[in-house]
Amino acid sequence: MKQFTGKIEITLRKGILDVQGKAVENALHSIEFEMISSVRIGRYVELSVEAENYDTAMDLVSEACKKLIANPIIEDFVIVIEEIN
Amino acid sequence: MKQFTGKIEITLRKGILDVQGKAVENALHSIEFEMISSVRIGRYVELSVEAENYDTAMDLVSEACKKLIANPIIEDFVIVIEEIN
């Protein structure tokens, strides 16, 4: 078995209203950061996986995202798997 | 002025207890994902910036993170800036 690190970027799908992002954007504008716009807030998850190879690790993390970590109806996710040496 | 996209990964500093991550890890173990461990949950922020050049855009986003987006006392952040053509 090998050790891998998984990094997952979870974002709200396009078209889904991001209330938290809008609130942060308004707050930024009120403290003179008017040149920042389109703020979207998602989640970032780091985890360790034990698996036989890269493909198994990727499948496992992808399955975990679909079942529990992300909400596939309103969220998209990008997974990066790295082997630890 | 040029248009840039900023991507920010915000993670809890090492040593800070991640209650949410622990809860997700326990939930994963209960649905047969025992090979996943050390789950840490952070935030992922995407935004647009208007700035003269890469350095100005990076400074702006870094300043916004320190002042409002992240909490530098308990969180670390990594910023990636990309120019939009």
Side-chain angles (χ1 to χ4, degrees):
Chain A
M1 292 296 236
K2 291 173 183 168
Q3 280 293 334
F4 298 86
T5 301
K7 294 177 181 180
I8 309 151
E9 288 170 2
I10 304 169
T11 48
L12 275 178
R13 293 195 158 197
K14 275 203 176 81
I16 307 270
L17 181 68
D18 183 351
V19 183
Q20 205 191 346
K22 200 65 204 159
V24 168
E25 186 172 330
N26 291 345
L28 283 169
H29 290 179
S30 74
I31 55 166
E32 326 275 283
F33 285 97
E34 289 91 356
M35 44 311 243
I36 293 179
S37 60
S38 311
V39 181
R40 304 274 292 170
I41 298 188
R43 279 173 296 135
Y44 175 71
V45 180
E46 273 183 5
L47 41 78
S48 302
V49 206
E50 205 179 283
E52 275 189 27
N53 53 46
Y54 176 92
D55 289 345
T56 328
M58 180 57 100
D59 287 351
L60 247 163
V61 176
S62 172
E63 209 47 45
C65 281
K66 282 180 204 146
K67 284 201 179 146
L68 193 132
I69 300 173
N71 177 349
I73 297 167
I74 57 163
E75 292 172 330
D76 288 321
F77 54 86
V78 176
I79 301 168
V80 176
I81 299 282
E82 285 162 10
E83 193 175 337
I84 303 170
N85 291 311
Chain B
M1 290 295 237
K2 291 174 184 168
Q3 280 293 334
F4 298 86
T5 301
K7 295 176 182 180
I8 310 152
E9 288 170 3
I10 304 169
T11 49
L12 275 178
R13 293 196 158 197
K14 277 204 176 79
I16 306 269
L17 181 69
D18 183 353
V19 183
Q20 205 190 345
K22 200 67 204 159
V24 168
E25 187 172 329
N26 291 345
L28 283 169
H29 290 179
S30 73
I31 54 166
E32 324 275 287
F33 285 97
E34 290 91 357
M35 44 312 243
I36 292 179
S37 61
S38 311
V39 180
R40 304 273 293 169
I41 298 188
R43 279 173 298 136
Y44 175 71
V45 180
E46 273 183 5
L47 41 78
S48 301
V49 205
E50 203 178 283
E52 274 189 29
N53 54 46
Y54 176 92
D55 289 345
T56 327
M58 179 58 100
D59 287 350
L60 247 162
V61 176
S62 170
E63 208 48 44
C65 279
K66 281 179 207 149
K67 283 201 179 147
L68 193 131
I69 299 173
N71 178 348
I73 297 167
I74 57 163
E75 291 172 329
D76 288 321
F77 54 87
V78 177
I79 301 168
V80 176
I81 299 284
E82 286 162 10
E83 194 174 338
I84 303 170
N85 291 311

